[in-house]
Amino acid sequence: MIPASFGYVRAGSVDEALAALAEHGDEAKLLAGGHSLLPLMKLRLARPEVLVDIGRVADLRYVREDGDAVRIGALTTIRQLEFDETLAAHVPLLRASAHAVGDPQVRARGTIGGSLSHGDGASDLPAVALALGARLVIRGPSGTREVDIDDFFLGFLETAVGEDEMLTEIVVPKCGDAGWSFQKFNRRAQDWAIVGVALVHGNGSGPTGVGLVNMSSRPLRAAAAEEALRNGASATEVGALAAEGTEAPSDLNARAEYREYLARVLVERAVAEATI
Amino acid sequence: MSTAQTMVNVTINVNGSDRNEVVAARTLLVHLLREKLRLTGTHIGCDTSNCGACTVLLDGHAVKSCTVLAVQADGCAVRTVESLAAPDGTLDAVQEGFRQEHGLQCGYCTPGMLMAVTSLLTDNSTPSDHEIREALEGNLCRCTGYEMIVRSVRWAVDHPNGLEAPA
Amino acid sequence: MSLVGARVLRKEDPNLLTGRGRFVDDLAPAGCLHMQFVRSLEAHARIVSVDTSEAEAVDGVLAVFSIRDLADLPTLPSSPEGMGRPILAKDKVVFAGEPVAVVVAEDRATAEDATERVVVDYAPLPVAASIEVALAEGAPLVKEELGTNSPFGMGPDAAVAAETDAVFAAAPHSRSLHLVNQRCVPTPIEAQGCVADWGPDGLTVWATFQAPHHLRNKLVDFFGIPAHSVRVIAPDVGGGFGSKIVFSPEYFLAAEASRRLGRPVKFMQSRSDAMVLTTHGRDQIHDVDVAFDDEAHVLALRLRVIQNVGGHPDATAMGLGVLTTWMASGCYRIPSIAAGFQVCLTNTTPVAAYRGAGRPEAAYMIERVMDLVADATGVDPAEVRYRNFIQPDDMPYPSATNEAVVYDSGNYPAALQELQRLIDYDALVAEIAENNADPSKPLKGLGLSCWVEIAGFGPNGSLEGFGHLGSWESANVRIQPDGSVIIAVGTSPHGQGHETTFAQIAADELGVDFDKITVRHGDTATVQQGIGTMGSRAVPVCGEGVKNSSAAVREKAKLIAAHLLEANPDDLEVGDDAFSVRGTPSRSVSWRDVAWASFQPLEIPEEIGAGSLEDTRFQTVPNFSYPSGAYGCVVSIDRVTGEVTVDRYVCVDDCGVVINPLLAEGQVHGGAAQGIAQALYEQMTYDENGQPLTATLVDYLVPSAADLPHLESGRVVTPTPVNTLGAQGIGESGSVGAPPAVVNAVVDALRAGGADIDHIDMPVTPEKVWSVLREHGIIAGGGS
């Protein structure tokens, strides 16, 4: 119930956070909302020796229009995404999916940067980022770099953010008139998805992408389904390809076969909803 | 500045009063409230952030205080169940609703429910039954089956001034 | 105005609503130490060694105990004969999570840190993690000294079995079902804990317990100390549902630690502790055969029950099968019933009572059977029930299951009629049929549950068999000098609202204002002997005691009032805090004056004497009570994904006379929610190595408000003759009646959709339903 002891460093800025990471190396973990990390620490499944608290880095909480993109600070809470008017107008898929995450208390603390950096294949926002073709801004000792979402999720809980780096911004395209849908199939309302689908269909004039939740150990696109979608295939045809290239887990909630089936169903439903 | 500390000085405004404490970095906010400040109304019901019995308001929004470190709440305002009633004991509208409609039995999940409902009604003062249930998806109760909790919230919505005569 | 039957708001609420509740973890006596367990990760293993030296060296740790440090202590109470459970694991562990050592430290964080430093060396043994494995030839023995994993069973009587077989042989039809009533975890939101303080003046234990006197008595036996020196207090208790009546090691370990260390010791489970340490519920397998005729009359029933009791069986678990087989007849006149059960030890957490304790399992079985008969004969499920119901005129009805089972009262046809009226049954059936004819709509089904259960524990001898001091319950009513009333009761509530309910009963009998009555409970120092809260007994047994004690005090008070009024006691009425002469209301004396006078020997007749306005009684009842009801559930099934949604849930209950309709309805809702949760969500799962796979609330799916349906209530009242209140008790009704209505609705929907199935096991998950849809070729549209 009580985490193992650790040293605490509070960072007032990104520079301070990076300095702390440089000093403490792989013994340190960043603490944003804490809703991925603290549950693991309370069960003593994670025991970082140092926590670098970036919760107070004020200038990383924003949602701003920038031409035909929207820039989101990494420390923007999921609740803030849920209530943001800019997102409502320009990236409604992100706003709707934010509402589906966890429960209201979790959304008040969890951050988009935290969720993406954690890189859990069972989380909702990574699939949304994939569907939108997001770009991630990462800062480190050698400066700032941008990474495509397709180069971001590398493996099980492993992302492109290095040990001495920090995700600072998420850039998503404005979706214009693109159709979109977020499908989440779970047991209880507060549960992670058994399978989830984030879909946006620009039909030539906006992004098109299909991201899957809990169909692999890392966040994954439904690449074959996406291709079919771009080529104008029907909802059924697109849905039929949903599970290609996935490695759906089997667990108490569902065997892999059922997950693959659900992926096909949910992608088909998502396409249908997005093309109304 | 980058020295990692295991004991940290925090100042948190709790129920309107600034409290200054030195805490172990690993102290959960719920333990600070219960053990140090002896505000035992907030309860602990699980260790995986599911049950919501520990719900308090942090800067106005419901959070699970078992999943917030005390150091993360430094400089913030926290409200617990002890802040709801008037000093003379008059229950606020949400509390009165739970009393009128039997929204509690053992009372253990109740403080967390009350704070989650308080937060809901700040966001949405006229929620539908569906919206009430959705807003409470992070608060587990084993006694009531939730039906009377929903009625309790409905009462509070219909009687925003509690038992007072309408203005 | 009579308060019995009135919707009275609770006395308990102002404290609880303002955060002033006092639960065990809120207690912080000066110098209190903290205790935490080292729990076994192995489900079945020899303990080769326990090295506590590193843990003892941690700064802030005062002691680390394993069984070798506690060799003088006996085995825990309520272990069945020959299955004594040591206070900490000895020689081997028999379930994952079993405590092997205990750390006592200055604070909880240090205790948790130190538990990680205890080094236990295990030699793993083969694991019997399920009934199937435990009963197989050559299975690993959980307790070698027993020579078997199934040391106990009962029934059926050979002659009854032979007679039943004969009925089957001659019957026009018979069918069979294999039912799994899956393991659940009671999961009160407050886990289990205690504070023990053993000082020169004796031992005090605050405990999350449903029966403080019972715990006190066992502490006395366990430590061999006199009862006058032991005090047990159940403060506010955050739910129990049967799990907090078990003698878990911590209550005794904390006391022993306090004795040795000279300071109070607190133990508070985390939820992860609770999931493996507190007793689980249900976990029965049923094989049932039913014989019936063309008109759907049930002629005979054969039932074999296997009860999983876990690694260290609790005495309660041994009795669950008794209650299940006793209630196998349900609401129906079944002339021949051959029912028997056996227990099965496995390398899992011990099983004990969980809301309903053996009766939900019986109701589930018989209600599935009735639907099976309906399916087989083509007779409407409600009609099948009407044709087989025990009739109101048959009461008291001796069940064919056991001579101890005599149903007291009930009107099963009336309850079902009321349910049918509330849901507009004929129209609903037609609407569902029309809906199901449209393949673009979800499949809908309607399920009934006409159930009866055994409550109001109980007649003399019934609880003694479970190790209790008696089956009575105590009430003491004591008038204060100002006319207010203190009542002390032996039951111990954990959400039921006893302070309110009993005050309502007393207010009516005494004619004293409700607000002038306080009900005390939960403290062996202030309450006379008591038995405790379980088996839905508080109102039928203790409430009856409160009523009779109050009436006795009233009659004694009338003697004093009569003296003060110079009237005949038979001419007096009481109400509104006063005694008055019938027909002459101006001739009255207040309760306050009567109460005061009762302590003034100069004011009252010499033969009455001071202090007479008090009564203590140990109320017995002649029989159990048998609450009943009719529940209905409508479900929708997504034809593509298999997801089940409850569209409507209606509970019609008959618990005899209702004392407080608001509280009674709350009890039904709570029980029904747990029942629906069992039907759709919850299952405590172990892998073949005895590792619990659902050991947190992430994986063990206790539902929220967003996951459960709106609940509707109705009522039928057939007063019971078992007590003068006419009240049967209602605490467990919802959990008994709820699951079969859900499963019956799901089977109804799937059969309507073309799946020729007899049954689907709980929890009815989307994947299970999808499998059925697929196997029967009725899965709809996309995704195939």
Side-chain angles (χ1 to χ4, degrees):
Chain A
M1 168 92 218
I2 297 174
S5 262
F6 56 85
Y8 175 80
V9 178
R10 175 171 303 162
S13 68
V14 176
D15 286 330
E16 286 180 13
L18 295 178
L21 289 178
E23 179 176 338
H24 298 284
D26 62 3
E27 297 170 357
K29 290 223 69 128
L30 294 176
L31 176 70
H35 274 52
S36 301
L37 186 55
L38 288 176
L40 293 174
M41 291 176 66
K42 285 164 63 182
L43 296 178
R44 304 204 175 196
L45 299 172
R47 297 166 187 257
E49 298 198 19
V50 174
L51 280 193
V52 180
D53 183 357
I54 53 174
R56 242 152 286 261
V57 176
D59 53 355
L60 286 189
R61 232 160 238 170
Y62 55 83
V63 178
R64 296 180 196 130
E65 291 184 56
D66 182 10
D68 55 10
V70 177
R71 292 181 174 273
I72 304 167
L75 291 176
T76 309
T77 65
I78 298 173
R79 182 194 155 87
Q80 285 171 320
L81 299 178
E82 195 186 345
F83 287 92
D84 188 82
E85 294 303 326
T86 304
L87 290 180
H90 296 293
V91 199
L93 169 62
L94 183 53
R95 200 178 84 140
S97 60
H99 178 70
V101 171
D103 56 52
Q105 292 97 316
V106 167
R107 298 198 286 274
R109 295 294 297 165
T111 63
I112 182 170
S115 176
L116 296 182
S117 304
H118 192 61
D120 192 342
S123 292
D124 300 321
L125 296 187
V128 175
L130 281 166
L132 291 170
R135 300 231 307 290
L136 297 317
V137 179
I138 300 171
R139 270 184 62 185
S142 42
T144 303
R145 61 197 183 93
E146 267 193 27
V147 174
D148 256 2
I149 194 70
D150 286 307
D151 301 320
F152 187 76
F153 300 115
L154 303 178
F156 176 62
L157 299 184
E158 192 194 334
T159 70
V161 181
E163 258 161 28
D164 56 356
E165 293 182 311
M166 189 174 142
L167 176 65
T168 55
E169 188 179 67
I170 297 92
V171 187
V172 295
K174 285 182 180 174
C175 294
D177 292 329
W180 60 272
S181 174
F182 186 74
Q183 302 282 325
K184 183 169 180 175
F185 189 89
N186 57 9
R187 297 292 306 281
R188 297 174 303 180
Q190 64 163 276
D191 289 336
W192 287 313
I194 292 178
V195 176
V197 172
L199 184 146
V200 63
H201 185 22
N203 228 344
S205 69
T208 294
V210 183
L212 296 173
V213 184
N214 221 351
M215 287 298 289
S216 175
S217 59
R218 67 183 172 97
L220 202 65
R221 270 183 202 289
E226 216 178 80
E227 167 104 16
L229 185 63
R230 278 203 193 88
N231 295 338
S234 72
T236 310
E237 289 166 341
V238 175
L241 298 168
E244 305 246 327
T246 63
E247 282 174 325
S250 281
D251 58 29
L252 282 180
N253 287 317
R255 284 166 300 146
E257 194 187 2
Y258 184 53
R259 279 202 158 86
E260 289 164 8
Y261 173 82
L262 284 176
R264 292 191 288 267
V265 171
L266 295 180
V267 167
E268 181 179 343
R269 288 183 179 176
V271 174
E273 191 176 56
T275 37
I276 289 169
Chain B
M1 164 220 17
S2 166
T3 315
Q5 302 174 272
T6 48
M7 299 300 292
V8 184
N9 201 299
V10 299
T11 302
I12 306 176
N13 185 283
V14 180
N15 297 336
S17 300
D18 279 346
R19 305 299 300 257
N20 188 276
E21 302 287 335
V22 176
V23 300
R26 62 170 167 171
T27 304
L28 304 174
L29 177 60
V30 68
H31 284 138
L32 172 69
L33 293 170
R34 288 179 49 79
E35 311 294 329
K36 279 257 175 138
L37 304 185
R38 300 304 295 150
L39 293 166
T40 56
T42 304
H43 298 145
I44 297 172
C46 79
D47 48 12
T48 49
S49 316
N50 291 103
C51 79
C54 65
T55 303
V56 300
L57 299 190
L58 182 64
D59 286 346
H61 302 307
V63 302
K64 294 182 177 181
S65 63
C66 73
T67 320
V68 177
L69 296 172
V71 292
Q72 290 179 291
D74 186 24
C76 299
V78 171
R79 278 190 69 200
T80 69
V81 65
E82 288 89 345
S83 73
L84 295 179
D88 69 356
T90 306
L91 303 178
D92 83 353
V94 176
Q95 291 169 308
E96 189 61 48
F98 273 68
R99 189 176 88 98
Q100 293 291 329
E101 296 294 338
H102 191 35
L104 67 156
Q105 290 182 24
C106 80
Y108 196 76
C109 77
T110 308
M113 286 285 176
L114 294 173
M115 302 318 287
V117 170
T118 300
S119 189
L120 163 68
L121 295 181
T122 308
D123 286 343
N124 178 357
S125 61
T126 53
S128 65
D129 280 3
H130 174 77
E131 286 169 328
I132 292 170
R133 287 177 180 269
E134 244 199 350
L136 295 178
E137 65 194 21
N139 288 76
L140 300 181
C141 171
R142 209 48 168 158
C143 292
T144 67
Y146 305 108
E147 182 65 31
M148 289 174 169
I149 289 178
V150 175
R151 291 184 199 170
S152 300
V153 179
R154 177 66 48 218
W155 191 97
V157 168
D158 292 344
H159 302 83
N161 295 321
L163 281 181
E164 287 173 21
Chain C
M1 189 198 91
S2 172
L3 285 187
V4 168
R7 183 190 192 280
V8 176
L9 301 186
R10 295 198 329 169
K11 289 177 180 282
E12 291 87 336
D13 290 352
N15 259 358
L16 295 171
L17 286 168
T18 53
R20 279 195 175 80
R22 175 145 294 155
F23 297 87
V24 165
D25 198 32
D26 301 339
L27 303 170
C32 194
L33 298 170
H34 292 259
M35 197 175 96
Q36 284 293 302
F37 283 128
V38 176
R39 299 194 263 108
S40 166
L41 296 176
E42 299 283 337
H44 196 202
R46 299 236 164 268
I47 300 172
V48 176
S49 63
V50 181
D51 183 354
T52 60
S53 53
E54 237 189 273
E56 285 166 18
V58 171
D59 195 35
V61 169
L62 275 77
V64 183
F65 301 128
S66 67
I67 193 65
R68 63 168 176 257
D69 303 299
L70 304 165
D72 293 339
L73 293 178
T75 54
L76 290 171
S78 93
S79 302
E81 192 66 43
M83 296 182 229
R85 177 178 174 179
I87 195 172
L88 284 173
K90 182 178 178 182
D91 299 332
K92 69 171 192 173
V93 292
V94 293
F95 68 93
E98 183 175 359
V100 177
V102 70
V103 172
V104 187
E106 291 285 355
D107 58 79
R108 190 193 172 110
T110 304
E112 289 193 22
D113 290 344
T115 59
E116 296 186 310
R117 300 284 181 85
V118 175
V119 182
V120 185
D121 192 16
Y122 297 102
L125 295 167
V127 176
S130 66
I131 288 176
E132 283 77 23
V133 171
L135 293 182
E137 187 78 24
L141 292 179
V142 177
K143 287 186 183 279
E144 289 94 353
E145 63 271 28
L146 298 177
T148 172
N149 285 330
S150 184
F152 177 69
M154 274 176 73
D157 173 85
V160 171
E163 178 205 306
T164 305
D165 285 346
V167 176
F168 268 88
H173 308 287
S174 71
R175 294 282 286 275
S176 299
L177 273 180
H178 177 83
L179 303 170
V180 177
N181 204 297
Q182 82 277 26
R183 179 179 288 234
C184 294
V185 184
T187 324
I189 305 300
E190 182 201 33
Q192 224 163 268
C194 61
V195 174
D197 189 1
W198 200 329
D201 58 346
L203 169 63
T204 302
V205 177
W206 291 264
T208 56
F209 211 73
Q210 296 171 217
H213 290 85
H214 194 35
L215 178 58
R216 191 280 308 274
N217 296 341
K218 295 304 180 187
L219 286 164
V220 163
D221 290 343
F222 186 86
F223 289 111
I225 53 179
H228 72 89
S229 70
V230 182
R231 179 180 182 187
V232 173
I233 301 163
D236 289 313
V237 176
F241 315 115
S243 66
K244 290 177 179 172
I245 201 155
V246 174
F247 297 110
S248 308
E250 56 263 27
Y251 302 123
F252 305 87
L253 278 168
E256 178 64 10
S258 177
R259 187 183 70 78
R260 294 190 187 196
L261 299 172
R263 289 166 65 177
V265 174
K266 177 192 275 194
F267 170 72
M268 197 63 220
Q269 287 178 341
S270 65
R271 181 57 57 187
S272 294
D273 289 329
M275 293 302 290
V276 296
L277 293 183
T278 53
T279 48
H280 294 166
R282 311 282 182 264
D283 208 339
Q284 285 186 359
I285 293 180
H286 290 198
D287 281 292
V288 57
D289 307 315
V290 58
F292 53 100
D293 65 21
D294 293 330
E295 280 76 49
H297 294 111
V298 174
L299 306 170
L301 202 70
R302 266 195 303 248
L303 174 64
R304 182 167 156 265
V305 174
I306 305 176
Q307 170 73 61
N308 192 338
V309 293
H312 282 297
D314 186 85
T316 316
M318 298 306 192
L320 296 173
V322 172
L323 296 175
T324 302
T325 51
W326 277 10
M327 296 309 293
S329 193
C331 296
Y332 311 105
R333 273 188 292 211
I334 303 176
S336 294
I337 301 179
F341 74 92
Q342 60 178 120
V343 303
C344 178
L345 275 72
T346 59
N347 292 118
T348 60
T349 295
V351 171
Y354 169 41
R355 199 168 197 170
R359 294 96 75 195
E361 297 88 320
Y364 182 67
M365 178 277 302
I366 191 65
E367 285 307 284
R368 288 296 306 120
V369 164
M370 297 315 276
D371 263 28
L372 187 69
V373 170
D375 292 339
T377 58
V379 177
D380 170 82
E383 181 58 28
V384 170
R385 288 165 168 85
Y386 283 121
R387 291 183 189 178
N388 287 282
F389 273 150
I390 297 159
Q391 296 299 318
D393 289 345
D394 295 330
M395 298 295 181
Y397 176 79
S399 171
T401 55
N402 190 287
E403 62 187 13
V405 182
V406 180
Y407 295 1
D408 58 341
S409 64
N411 191 334
Y412 311 136
L416 181 53
Q417 277 156 19
E418 177 60 7
L419 173 67
Q420 289 183 294
R421 185 188 73 83
L422 287 172
I423 63 179
D424 198 357
Y425 185 78
D426 291 336
L428 180 59
V429 170
E431 181 195 317
I432 288 173
E434 193 187 315
N435 169 91
N436 288 340
D438 181 349
S440 74
K441 296 209 175 125
L443 270 176
K444 283 194 189 258
L446 168 63
L448 301 175
S449 170
C450 294
W451 57 272
V452 62
E453 81 117 341
I454 180 172
F457 281 71
N460 292 331
S462 55
L463 288 178
E464 290 86 327
F466 286 100
H468 289 269
L469 183 59
S471 301
W472 40 262
E473 191 47 269
S474 69
N476 165 275
V477 174
R478 191 185 316 160
I479 305 297
Q480 305 303 302
D482 67 349
S484 67
V485 186
I486 297 176
I487 299 177
V489 293
T491 52
S492 195
H494 32 285
Q496 294 90 336
H498 293 173
E499 291 171 27
T500 303
T501 308
F502 294 152
Q504 287 174 252
I505 294 170
D508 274 10
E509 288 301 315
L510 291 169
V512 170
D513 190 89
F514 175 77
D515 289 332
K516 293 196 174 121
I517 302 172
T518 287
V519 175
R520 298 224 167 111
H521 53 79
D523 184 343
T524 62
T526 56
V527 175
Q528 63 287 345
Q529 302 313 310
I531 299 299
T533 300
M534 69 214 96
S536 303
R537 66 194 300 268
V539 166
V541 185
C542 191
E544 180 72 3
V546 169
K547 178 175 190 233
N548 293 331
S549 275
S550 300
V553 168
R554 177 194 66 227
E555 292 308 302
K556 290 199 267 194
K558 274 185 182 173
L559 299 177
I560 293 173
H563 175 79
L564 296 174
L565 291 172
E566 291 175 358
N568 188 318
D570 296 333
D571 293 335
L572 294 183
E573 302 181 315
V574 66
D576 292 326
D577 287 314
F579 296 81
S580 55
V581 178
R582 195 172 294 109
T584 322
S586 59
R587 281 182 68 201
S588 75
V589 62
S590 69
W591 247 113
R592 170 186 277 272
D593 287 345
V594 169
W596 185 260
S598 77
F599 292 99
Q600 306 294 317
L602 294 177
E603 305 291 321
I604 52 181
E606 197 179 323
E607 63 269 19
I608 292 181
S612 68
L613 299 186
E614 173 167 354
D615 183 88
T616 302
R617 67 189 52 217
F618 292 79
Q619 180 69 49
T620 60
V621 289
N623 190 12
F624 301 95
S625 61
Y626 293 82
S628 59
Y631 290 1
C633 176
V634 179
V635 299
S636 290
I637 300 182
D638 184 314
R639 294 188 196 239
V640 179
T641 64
E643 188 172 22
V644 176
T645 308
V646 176
D647 293 333
R648 192 154 182 211
Y649 205 98
V650 181
C651 302
V652 172
D653 278 88
D654 184 356
C655 62
V657 169
V658 174
I659 313 301
N660 186 323
L662 182 63
L663 273 53
E665 193 183 2
Q667 288 300 305
V668 171
H669 288 172
Q674 287 174 304
I676 296 169
Q678 176 175 12
L680 293 176
Y681 292 103
E682 296 179 28
Q683 176 159 20
M684 183 65 199
T685 307
Y686 288 86
D687 71 11
E688 73 270 15
N689 296 315
Q691 293 301 313
L693 300 177
T694 50
T696 71
L697 293 184
V698 173
D699 299 306
Y700 186 77
L701 304 178
V702 173
S704 74
D707 308 309
L708 287 175
H710 170 51
L711 299 169
E712 299 167 57
S713 306
R715 180 158 307 287
V716 166
V717 180
T718 47
T720 175
V722 155
N723 55 50
T724 64
L725 282 170
Q728 295 180 306
I730 198 166
E732 292 161 284
S733 295
S735 60
V736 171
V742 180
V743 177
N744 284 346
V746 171
V747 174
D748 182 52
L750 290 172
R751 287 178 65 84
D756 183 25
I757 59 165
D758 282 348
H759 184 61
I760 188 168
D761 271 326
M762 303 188 287
V764 181
T765 64
E767 185 170 6
K768 273 185 190 166
V769 175
W770 170 72
S771 295
V772 169
L773 295 172
R774 217 168 49 141
E775 276 162 34
H776 290 84
I778 57 170
I779 201 154
S784 50

